[in-house]
Amino acid sequence: MYEGIHHVSILVTDIEKSKRFYGEVLGFQESNARPEFGFPGAWYQIGDTQLHLIVYEEGKTLRGTENIDSRDGHFAIRVNDIEGFIERMEANQVEMLNKPHNKTEWHQVYISDPDGNIIEFNK
């Protein structure tokens, strides 16, 4: 019945700053398939799933902090080269919570975007 997650939407406050982070720092490819909704945003294709950035000032899901807490709400992206990902984050001076040994069978690395949205990368 279910095929998978189509997209994840997150709130951002500054679309240009967020696009630099997701496009240049993380290296995600922005999709040009996003219709003109009448509000700022961006879509990124990550494997079979999309990430939608939305500027929505009345939204209630901004955390209000960039502190990285792996127990807080987040989404996870599987990578095929965790060491390469870590090197990319270090080169871009992105703070990380690196958990190579944890209760799961995969290496986890958590980061925060400029608005405090937490993302887990794992291998």
Side-chain angles (χ1 to χ4, degrees), residues 76-93:
I77 296 174
R78 179 73 87 189
V79 298
N80 57 21
D81 180 2
I82 197 76
E83 294 306 323
F85 172 78
I86 291 169
E87 289 172 12
R88 184 181 189 117
M89 294 305 98
E90 289 173 342
N92 284 282
Q93 300 176 325

Side-chain angles (χ1 to χ4, degrees), residues 26-61:
L26 293 180
F28 291 173
Q29 293 297 312
E30 185 173 356
S31 169
N32 60 4
R34 182 182 185 270
E36 177 48 56
F37 287 112
F39 57 85
W43 287 3
Y44 294 88
Q45 192 70 41
I46 306 165
D48 292 333
T49 304
Q50 294 177 353
L51 173 63
H52 295 181
L53 307 183
I54 299 174
V55 177
Y56 181 52
E57 294 183 15
E58 286 126 34
K60 305 288 186 232
T61 60

Side-chain angles (χ1 to χ4, degrees), residues 3 29 90 95-96 105 107 118:
E3 294 182 22
Q29 293 297 312
E90 289 173 342
E95 182 181 346
M96 295 176 283
E105 61 189 50
H107 184 157
I118 296 176

